[in-house]
Each structure stands twice: as C-alpha cells, then as structure tokens.
C-alpha cells in the first residue's frame, strides 16, 4: 500500500507490502523488513532491517508523533487525493498515470464515458495489493491505454481524459 508522509517538513513516499506474516518497507529501490511491536501503553519496538529501537508513538488523526533516541518527530500522513490535487494537467487533456508498476485488474470506464473528478477509472494490482485509479478532473474518456491483465511500468499512461468535453 502506498503512503506519503511529511517528516520535518519534507515529503517522503513509501510503500508497504506483506510477505507472509511480515511487512516490507519500500523506499525508492530499497526494500527492508519492518515491524512495530507494542511493548506497553505507547511504547513499541521498531525494527527496520537490522535496526531495532524502542520508540514511543502517539497518533492523532493523520499525525503520528514518534519519540526516538531523545528526539520527537512529527509524521503527517498525506492522502493521495490531496497530494495530487495541485498536480498540473494539460490545458485540454488530463492523463491518469500509474503510481507504480503493476497490472490492470478491472476497467470501470470506456471511451467516451463522462467522468467526474475522483470517479473510479480502473483498478490496478501491484505487489499483491489492489488500488483504484481515480479521475484527476472532470472530462470525457478519450482513451483507455490498458486492458485487463495488461502490465505496465510506473508513470505509464492508463487513461486520457478530454477536459474540454467535461459535463457542465
């Protein structure tokens, strides 16, 4: 599952995947086993790769306060729709792109379908996790670039929308 966090004012994107009963943390090309085991009221044992340390965690909504080694860090989860809301799109078209490599599992639209911003366009699978790809804006489907079962790389165009034909 993909996540984006603000840590000390800097954006970080990471992915979590499951491997049996364990989790793996993917940051860029790096993949490490990760575990957060409760030890008490707010105390946890954090293990990332070969590193293991006691941390204290407090969660408030999308904010996670982590106390580690005498320092306190504020992690703020950023929802995907908020992250990409300000993303620039072409004047006349918008292209829904693959956030990660994967395969198309289900198509929710076809050519000439009228869609609203946030509406499901298709479902993809990556690292055994499914993710719904939503329309970045109102428009009409100009092209669906993938078919069910087709694989693609990160940033591949999945669906192109014509913004000039958006429903009023």
């Amino acid at each position: 599952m993909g996540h984006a966090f603000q840590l000390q004012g800097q954006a970080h994107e990471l992915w979590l995947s499951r491997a049996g009963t364990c989790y793996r943390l993917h940051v860029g090309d790096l993949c490490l086993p990760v575990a957060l085991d409760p030890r008490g009221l707010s105390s946890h044992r954090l293990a990332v790769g070969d590193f293991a340390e006691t941390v204290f965690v407090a969660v408030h909504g999308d904010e996670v306060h982590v106390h580690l080694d005498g320092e306190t860090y504020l992690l703020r989860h950023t929802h995907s729709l908020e992250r990409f809301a300000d993303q620039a799109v072409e004047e006349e078209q918008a292209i829904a792109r693959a956030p990660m490599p994967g395969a198309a599992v289900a198509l929710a639209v076809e050519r000439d379908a009228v869609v609203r911003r946030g509406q499901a366009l298709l479902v993809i699978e990556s690292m055994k996790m499914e993710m719904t790809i939503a329309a970045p804006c109102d428009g009409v489907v100009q092209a669906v670039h993938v078919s069910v079962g087709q694989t693609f790389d990160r940033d591949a165009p999945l669906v192109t929308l014509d913004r000039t034909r958006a429903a009023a």
Side-chain angles (χ1 to χ4, degrees):
M1 174 181 299
H3 298 280
F5 289 92
Q6 290 281 331
L7 174 61
Q8 308 297 83
Q10 186 176 358
H12 298 274
E13 189 169 322
L14 56 97
W15 302 97
L16 284 177
S17 65
R18 193 169 196 129
T21 60
C22 303
Y23 286 92
R24 297 202 181 280
L25 175 66
H26 304 265
V27 180
D29 293 332
L30 192 60
C31 177
L32 299 167
V34 64
L36 185 64
D37 299 316
R39 296 286 189 226
L41 185 59
S42 62
S43 174
H44 295 74
R45 182 178 176 276
L46 173 65
V48 179
D50 294 332
F51 169 85
E53 188 72 44
T54 298
V55 297
F56 297 90
V57 179
V59 179
H60 184 264
D62 286 339
E63 293 182 348
V64 180
H65 302 269
V66 179
H67 186 78
L68 167 68
D69 223 11
E71 297 287 328
T72 300
Y73 302 92
L74 171 63
L75 290 138
R76 183 171 285 125
H77 180 259
T78 307
H79 192 280
S80 297
L81 288 178
E82 292 172 11
R83 280 179 31 218
F84 299 117
D86 295 332
Q87 192 174 40
V89 292
E90 296 293 321
E91 186 71 28
E92 296 177 357
Q93 344 179 284
I95 301 173
R97 296 185 173 277
M100 63 192 119
V105 176
L107 299 176
V109 295
E110 57 187 33
R111 185 176 170 81
D112 295 325
V114 176
V115 297
R116 294 273 185 207
R117 181 175 184 221
Q119 181 178 334
L121 299 174
L122 71 152
V123 177
I124 65 170
E125 179 186 333
S126 181
M127 297 182 291
K128 298 185 181 179
M129 300 289 291
E130 289 188 359
M131 174 186 279
T132 300
I133 303 299
C137 60
D138 293 350
V140 175
V141 176
Q142 186 176 21
V144 178
H145 302 284
V146 293
S147 57
V148 172
Q150 183 178 347
T151 60
F152 47 81
D153 291 325
R154 181 182 181 158
D155 204 37
L158 301 173
V159 177
T160 300
L161 301 178
D162 181 347
R163 297 177 67 184
T164 62
R165 295 176 41 202

